[in-house]
Each structure stands twice: as C-alpha cells, then as structure tokens.
Amino acid sequence: MDAYFASVEQLDSPDLAGKCVIVGGLSGRSVVSAASYEARKFGVHSAMPMYQARQKCPHGIFIRPRMDRYKALSQKIMSMLEDFSPFVEPVSIDEAYVDITGSEKLFGEPREIAFRIKQKIKESFNLTCSVGIGANKFIAKIASDMNKPDGLTLILPDQTQQIIENLPIHKVPGVGKTRHRQLEDFGIKMLGDVRKYPEKMILKKLGKFGQKLLKLSSGTDDSPVTP
C-alpha cells in the first residue's frame, strides 16, 4: 500500500487530500510512522525523528496513529487478495506476497492480475497500491519499490541480472544501517558488487547473511509464499 497510514487519514478526512500528512507520536522523542507523498517532497520519511520532520515540514499536519482503523482495513485488503490466490503471505500491515502460480487460467497473465488487484483495491477502498511482479519474492519486492506510488512493475527473467547489478545495497531486505555501513566498508555499494569478491571471503566476513547475499546477487530466492 502507498503511504498507508497517511493515505487512510486522507481517505477518512477528505480535507487532508493533497496536504502534508505526517503520522506518528507527537512527542519530541517519537518517530514518523508514515508520511504522505506530499510530505515526502520535503524530505520527511518513516522512522525519521518527529522533531526533524517538524523542522523539514513545519506546515505539515501531524496526526497520532489510529492502529485499530489501519488493522481493520488491512484485514479487508488481505482478504480481498485471497480472491486471486489462496497463497497470500502478509509481511506487515500494509504489504503482502501473493503466489499467482495457476491463477492465470482464471485471471489472465501476471500483468493483468496485478492490474485487477490494483483496480479492485481502488474501487473497494479508494486507496492506491504499488505491485511488483517477479519470478520470486525478492525480485517481486524490488519491483514493487521501483515505481511508487500507484506503480505496476514487471521484472522479466532476462532483465533480472541487470537490475540486481545496479541495485543499491541498502535496498536489499535485511540491510539496516549497521549492515549498510559494514558492506560499504568492504566496497559493496551495489548488490552486484557482492560477486566481485571470493565466496570464501564473503562467507567469512558476513556468515549466514553472506550466504543470503550471494544467492540474492544471482537473483535466487527459494523462500516460498507461506499463508
């Protein structure tokens, strides 16, 4: 879902449409939970300290999260996804993987299925989402981030390696701030850089995570979609 918490606030209060909506705790120690795309233009993003968000966007509208509302709507959206496949794996309140293997017979090619999902979410809830399509969960996740908001991106097998070569390492799932600094110290700035080093060195330096990175750097992700 696109800027989910902020989008729900704009949905429930139409006067907030087009405005800089920032959802999060209101104390100085709080962090931003979600920022509308209008607020993001001023450099506000999720996990940013709230005092910084106020500095960057003093005219923003700051709202406390309404988790019960977000959860209730999320459950309806996840349930709707099951109309397209029984294999739906929610990974957070606003994101899920859907295995559409076999669904083509009912709903058409992958791009058509993605379009139908976007259309149904828009018609049913008046919200937008960004859908990524790929041969596995990792590639689909990359695709979903490429054209936000309201995106629909298909990464074909013959495009995969080129995209991986140029994928900033911080965009790889599991790479947080500390890991990001560690990898950059090794000279790994793009995912494709992983393959420039001997496998033994990667495994020695990074252990199990190095094993995962080596797989992802070749576009391999065998983790199933688990409902």
Side-chain angles (χ1 to χ4, degrees):
M1 301 302 295
D2 295 324
Y4 181 56
F5 293 0
S7 295
V8 173
E9 294 300 336
Q10 291 175 321
L11 173 69
D12 291 349
S13 301
D15 58 306
L16 297 179
K19 295 181 180 178
C20 296
V21 175
I22 299 162
V23 179
L26 303 185
S27 73
R29 294 182 178 182
S30 300
V31 297
V32 175
S33 298
S36 68
Y37 282 90
E38 293 84 1
R40 293 184 191 191
K41 291 176 183 176
F42 293 88
V44 180
H45 57 78
S46 60
M48 170 181 283
M50 190 60 81
Y51 76 88
Q52 286 186 8
R54 290 184 182 278
Q55 290 172 353
K56 290 179 177 289
C57 192
H59 59 287
I61 299 167
F62 295 82
I63 300 173
R64 288 185 185 278
R66 296 182 297 142
M67 293 307 300
D68 288 347
R69 168 62 171 150
Y70 309 149
K71 287 177 182 177
L73 192 52
S74 172
Q75 287 172 352
K76 291 179 181 178
I77 294 169
M78 298 296 176
S79 178
M80 187 223 76
L81 292 176
E82 291 175 2
D83 293 343
F84 294 89
S85 169
F87 297 102
V88 176
E89 179 184 347
V91 290
S92 67
I93 195 170
D94 64 345
E95 185 174 358
Y97 291 106
V98 184
D99 185 345
I100 58 169
T101 305
S103 298
E104 296 96 325
K105 294 177 182 178
L106 291 171
F107 302 111
E109 293 300 309
R111 189 184 289 275
E112 174 65 17
I113 294 172
F115 178 77
R116 287 182 180 222
I117 287 173
K118 286 171 59 65
Q119 189 176 41
K120 192 163 184 181
I121 287 175
K122 182 66 175 174
E123 290 173 353
S124 302
F125 309 107
N126 201 25
L127 292 170
T128 65
C129 65
S130 294
V131 180
I133 309 166
N136 56 51
K137 290 165 74 173
F138 173 57
I139 301 303
K141 171 64 177 168
I142 292 172
S144 72
D145 286 333
M146 288 177 71
N147 291 300
K148 291 177 74 69
D150 202 17
L152 196 172
T153 306
L154 168 64
I155 296 179
L156 295 169
D158 61 0
Q159 300 171 318
T160 299
Q161 203 55 46
Q162 182 182 357
I163 287 169
I164 283 173
E165 291 291 324
N166 299 298
L167 182 72
I169 198 67
H170 70 271
K171 292 197 172 184
V172 175
V175 176
K177 286 184 179 179
T178 303
R179 186 76 78 181
H180 184 203
R181 284 195 296 269
Q182 182 188 23
L183 291 168
E184 287 212 320
D185 287 344
F186 294 160
I188 298 173
K189 296 184 178 181
M190 303 291 178
L191 182 55
D193 293 339
V194 173
R195 305 193 70 77
K196 296 176 182 177
Y197 295 88
E199 184 175 328
K200 283 185 178 179
M201 192 200 93
I202 295 291
L203 295 177
K204 183 179 178 181
K205 295 278 189 183
L206 300 172
K208 284 187 177 180
F209 189 72
Q211 207 167 29
K212 178 182 177 181
L213 272 185
L214 285 166
K215 281 189 172 184
L216 296 182
S217 67
S218 63
T220 303
D221 178 13
D222 51 12
S223 56
V225 174
T226 308

